[in-house]
Amino acid sequence: RTGSSSSIRQRFRRKMAAQGAVPLLLTPSSRTLLVPLASLAPLSSLLPVNKFLHLVVEAVCGRGAGLEAALQEEVENNQDEAGAMKGLTTACILFFTKVVGGELKRDDIIREMKTFNVPTEHQPVVLETILANYSQLRRACLSDTNRISKTHLTDFDWKLLLSFSSNKISTIQESTVRLSLTLNNDDLSINHAVIELSRSELDLLLSSLTQANTAICDVAT
């Protein structure tokens, strides 16, 4: 039995859509940080929402000075508002990066906005801002990832193998997974790696990857 990264991803998305599940991969701490999205409405009395969201895009793309200056100007005399604005800014930056990093489409984004109680009157401008800047937001996310490692996984394939015998044992029934990995290096060269894993080794690998993903999500927030 074999599978590819694209086919697995497509099947996963279809299954999640059928179940109505949340497609964003978020740790509990990340979900907590997204709670302030519901406070976009009070923001409009301090700063136009479309201007604020544009500044969020600039911040995600590494040009955050404009956002910091605008927020400081609006709330410099009110510490309560300053704290609320900081939480909202963190939430919007996290939401934008998670949406783009998760390759969410229009319907997925709308569902996520409803999940995190983004005010209905502001959902269209949030959606428009994300879709209009999707490419540059994605480039910014990839750039952040590349700072961690210049070598990255671009594709993989897998096969399930079943061994019935060996040169030492006449009858065995042992399943292994063969992973074929395609890796792109900083110098544009491509490496291919093949790994065979027993069931226990595969369980350990999946557990390690889950822990690594949780750690990366926590660092990103």
Side-chain angles (χ1 to χ4, degrees), residues 82-123:
M85 288 298 296
K86 182 178 180 181
L88 178 58
T89 301
T90 299
C92 287
I93 291 175
L94 176 61
F95 186 73
F96 279 29
T97 54
K98 292 297 184 181
V99 162
V100 174
E103 299 181 350
L104 271 62
K105 305 303 181 185
R106 176 184 293 269
D107 291 344
D108 298 323
I109 298 171
I110 293 173
R111 183 169 60 247
E112 291 303 322
M113 288 192 291
K114 292 178 179 177
T115 298
F116 291 102
N117 300 312
V118 175
T120 304
E121 66 271 25
H122 296 310
Q123 288 183 15

Side-chain angles (χ1 to χ4, degrees), residues 26-216:
L26 296 170
T27 62
S29 60
S30 295
R31 290 191 171 278
T32 300
L33 288 172
L34 287 176
V35 169
L37 288 174
S39 62
L40 264 176
L43 165 73
S44 58
S45 63
L46 298 172
L47 190 70
V49 172
N50 58 342
K51 179 181 179 180
F52 170 74
L53 294 175
H54 175 73
L55 292 173
V56 167
V57 172
E58 294 288 295
V60 173
C61 296
R63 304 183 294 270
L67 176 59
E68 294 174 4
L71 295 182
Q72 185 171 353
E73 179 182 348
E74 295 297 335
V75 299
E76 61 180 350
N77 297 320
N78 190 321
Q79 291 302 313
D80 291 337
E81 288 182 352
M85 288 298 296
K86 182 178 180 181
L88 178 58
T89 301
T90 299
C92 287
I93 291 175
L94 176 61
F95 186 73
F96 279 29
T97 54
K98 292 297 184 181
V99 162
V100 174
E103 299 181 350
L104 271 62
K105 305 303 181 185
R106 176 184 293 269
D107 291 344
D108 298 323
I109 298 171
I110 293 173
R111 183 169 60 247
E112 291 303 322
M113 288 192 291
K114 292 178 179 177
T115 298
F116 291 102
N117 300 312
V118 175
T120 304
E121 66 271 25
H122 296 310
Q123 288 183 15
V125 69
V126 174
L127 179 64
E128 180 183 349
T129 300
I130 293 174
L131 296 180
N133 297 279
Y134 203 95
S135 296
Q136 65 170 319
L137 288 169
R138 180 167 175 76
R139 285 195 299 270
C141 291
L142 289 174
S143 178
D144 287 342
T145 302
N146 287 339
R147 291 193 190 101
I148 300 174
S149 174
K150 295 297 183 181
T151 299
H152 55 279
L153 179 69
T154 57
D155 198 8
F156 73 91
D157 191 32
W158 61 273
K159 293 181 180 180
L160 180 63
L161 308 176
L162 183 61
S163 301
F164 291 99
S165 64
S166 70
N167 58 351
K168 295 182 180 180
I169 304 176
S170 59
T171 303
I172 61 173
Q173 286 191 356
E174 182 177 305
S175 57
T176 58
V177 171
R178 177 178 294 170
L179 290 176
S180 300
L181 310 177
T182 302
L183 305 170
N184 278 18
N185 300 315
D186 187 32
D187 59 2
L188 302 183
S189 62
I190 298 176
N191 289 341
H192 298 281
V194 178
I195 306 172
E196 288 193 5
L197 303 169
S198 65
R199 179 170 181 173
S200 60
E201 291 171 330
L202 178 61
D203 288 341
L204 180 60
L205 173 62
L206 293 175
S207 176
S208 299
L209 290 174
T210 299
Q211 294 175 18
N213 180 68
T214 300
I216 290 173

Side-chain angles (χ1 to χ4, degrees), residues 10-34:
Q10 290 170 0
R11 291 200 299 272
F12 175 78
R13 288 191 178 281
R14 286 197 296 267
K15 181 179 179 181
M16 292 298 101
Q19 295 177 350
V22 177
L24 282 183
L25 300 178
L26 296 170
T27 62
S29 60
S30 295
R31 290 191 171 278
T32 300
L33 288 172
L34 287 176

